[in-house]
Amino acid sequence: TQTVSQSDAHVTVFEGDSVELRCNYSYGGSIYLSWYIQHHGRGLQFLLKYYSGNPVVQGVNGFEAEFSKSDSSFHLRKASVHWSDSAVYFCAASPSITGNTRKLIFGLGTTLQVQP
Amino acid sequence: GPKVLQIPSHQIIDMGQMVTLNCDPVSNHLYFYWYKQILGQQMEFLVNFYNGKVMEKSKLFKDQFSVERPDGSYFTLKIQPTALEDSAVYFCASSPVSYEQYFGPGTRLTVL
């Protein structure tokens, strides 16, 4: 069974701070990883993805994430947050295997609160 | 970016009634999905659909659930009959050949 864990339920930072949201997954093979953002009362918006190649991937609005096979991690980072980054962030994974139906397995989410 | 639309945004029905949730996926996408999110909990996969067929369904996809996409129109999730535990937000998603899924804004279903 594949799982995705986000160790921090809530993260609070000040505007202009850097932030790292943690994501770990359990799966031994090739895996597709992604991050989504969900603003209150709205649907999920895609931020970025990793499948292969450069382990550091860039996303929208200054977000980036780094894949680490040794740590089974895909942490999301931003160098300088803005108040509008306040939202719930979901890490999601999909095992990349033949016959896989591409379902996404989500973590519980991390609520990021950016204070002025 | 590409947009997935969901109709209605809210639906309140009595237990035992039938409900149909509608999704208008991105026009050139090939894969379609439904996810369920109970308030405060994680998003959970229900079912995915490709080439007119269900590819995989989870344990949450009970016998009372069905999906279809007749003639390339809306991708629908039907629940008949509904139960109290079906109250949740249901998200539709679609994806092209790649793995990247685009989500709709969700339909909040309340079963009384």
Side-chain angles (χ1 to χ4, degrees):
Chain A
T1 303
Q2 302 89 29
T3 60
V4 175
S5 62
Q6 294 180 244
S7 53
D8 299 313
H10 296 271
V11 172
T12 301
V13 296
F14 289 98
E15 200 165 22
D17 284 351
S18 64
V19 70
E20 179 178 85
L21 306 182
R22 303 173 63 81
C23 173
N24 291 87
Y25 63 90
S26 65
Y27 183 69
S30 296
I31 195 162
Y32 168 86
L33 294 157
S34 54
W35 277 95
Y36 286 83
I37 180 173
Q38 185 180 33
H39 286 103
H40 181 69
R42 301 177 66 177
L44 275 69
Q45 290 178 266
F46 175 81
L47 276 181
L48 46 73
K49 66 185 177 188
Y50 171 81
Y51 182 69
S52 63
N54 188 336
V56 179
V57 291
Q58 306 295 325
V60 298
N61 295 334
F63 285 97
E64 69 173 31
E66 183 167 3
F67 169 73
S68 170
K69 187 172 184 179
S70 59
D71 294 339
S72 297
S73 67
F74 189 56
H75 302 327
L76 180 71
R77 300 189 294 248
K78 186 168 182 178
S80 177
V81 295
H82 186 262
W83 64 266
S84 61
D85 294 324
S86 296
V88 182
Y89 291 78
F90 290 97
C91 181
S94 185
S96 169
I97 56 175
T98 301
N100 175 42
T101 58
R102 301 162 177 239
K103 67 179 182 187
L104 289 177
I105 301 162
F106 285 88
L108 285 171
T110 296
T111 300
L112 175 65
Q113 184 175 8
V114 181
Q115 295 186 340
Chain B
K3 288 195 183 299
V4 174
L5 305 177
Q6 290 188 242
I7 302 165
S9 57
H10 293 84
Q11 181 88 53
I12 301 174
I13 58 171
D14 291 323
M15 183 176 62
Q17 284 190 315
M18 181 195 76
V19 68
T20 300
L21 309 183
N22 298 292
C23 171
D24 187 10
V26 179
S27 60
N28 60 346
H29 283 187
L30 303 174
Y31 298 84
F32 311 105
Y33 314 79
W34 283 103
Y35 292 84
K36 177 181 180 181
Q37 186 181 39
I38 294 174
L39 185 65
Q41 298 184 23
Q42 71 193 105
M43 188 93 65
E44 293 191 272
F45 168 79
L46 280 177
V47 64
N48 54 11
F49 193 83
Y50 169 73
N51 200 23
K53 292 181 288 190
V54 170
M55 296 175 66
E56 182 181 359
K57 52 188 179 182
S58 72
K59 293 178 184 176
L60 297 178
F61 195 80
K62 304 179 296 184
D63 291 341
Q64 298 90 326
F65 288 42
S66 63
V67 291
E68 64 176 356
R69 192 182 186 221
D71 300 323
S73 60
Y74 284 155
F75 175 52
T76 63
L77 173 66
K78 183 185 292 185
I79 309 174
Q80 181 179 27
T82 50
L84 295 176
E85 61 264 27
D86 297 331
S87 294
V89 180
Y90 291 83
F91 289 97
C92 173
S94 68
S95 67
V97 176
S98 68
Y99 277 69
E100 188 173 320
Q101 293 183 25
Y102 294 84
F103 284 79
T107 292
R108 181 175 298 279
L109 176 65
T110 301
V111 182
L112 303 176

